[in-house]
Amino acid sequence: NPGYISIDNSGTVDVTAEYGFYAEGVWANGFYDVDIANSGEINVSSYFFANGIYAVSFFGDVSVDNSGSVDVNASGYGYAAYGIHVGYNLPGGNVHVGAGDIDIDNSGYLDITGFDSAIGIDANGQTWGGLSVNNSGDMSIDANGFAAGISTSHYGIYTAIDNSGSLDVSSVVGLAVGI
């Protein structure tokens, strides 16, 4: 979308891609500001990659506010599940957020399971602005390989992470990281 994107979900979203490459509960990518609010229930299941909420902007700000529940499962070997995923793994390429700020506020419940990796909140950007993650929600993150509650990679002005929620992160044979 070449313009401003605003999505507000208060309903139930069920997405299954049994053998599809990507399954996305809420997916928004645009050139300018992207705002996503979820107070509903998002359930996503895929053999390959699965995202509960995915957002990317090339030139604007990205804001994600989740107070609902997000349940994501990627069951295939070598594949990943993300609860809230900002600015990374755009289908067809490796795209990072552009010039704006990234602001993620989660007070909801994230239940994320990935065969290879699982991440509750993953925020990545090569931005001129800042990256802020505020989590007061609870998370259950399970993977055979890499598992993380909150993961960020950012080259901008500042990165701020504030967590008051409960992060239950486990990995069978890989690395498990809270923040």
Side-chain angles (χ1 to χ4, degrees):
N1 185 337
Y4 170 85
I5 298 172
S6 178
I7 298 171
D8 187 349
N9 176 57
S10 59
T12 299
V13 176
D14 292 315
V15 178
T16 301
E18 190 170 337
Y19 293 104
F21 199 66
Y22 283 91
E24 314 287 342
V26 175
W27 179 29
N29 70 38
F31 286 98
Y32 300 106
D33 291 354
V34 173
D35 291 315
I36 298 173
N38 176 57
S39 59
E41 180 180 336
I42 298 173
N43 303 297
V44 181
S45 178
S46 173
Y47 184 78
F48 295 104
F49 293 101
N51 289 295
I53 298 172
Y54 179 81
V56 66
S57 170
F58 296 102
F59 303 110
D61 297 336
V62 174
S63 174
V64 176
D65 184 353
N66 178 58
S67 59
S69 67
V70 178
D71 186 343
V72 181
N73 184 358
S75 60
Y77 176 77
Y79 295 100
Y82 301 88
I84 299 171
H85 198 183
V86 175
Y88 190 59
N89 281 348
L90 180 66
N94 185 12
V95 177
H96 295 274
V97 173
D101 292 334
I102 299 169
D103 184 20
I104 299 170
D105 188 358
N106 179 58
S107 59
Y109 179 68
L110 305 181
D111 186 0
I112 315 303
T113 304
F115 186 93
D116 185 54
S117 61
I119 301 174
I121 297 174
D122 191 31
N124 300 278
Q126 296 174 337
T127 69
W128 300 110
L131 185 150
S132 173
V133 176
N134 181 15
N135 180 63
S136 59
D138 294 340
M139 297 184 200
S140 176
I141 313 298
D142 297 294
N144 288 318
F146 179 72
I150 300 171
S151 175
T152 65
S153 174
H154 184 245
Y155 304 102
I157 296 172
Y158 67 89
T159 299
I161 300 171
D162 183 10
N163 178 61
S164 60
S166 174
L167 307 180
D168 181 6
V169 181
S170 66
S171 170
V172 175
V173 294
L175 175 65
V177 177
I179 298 173

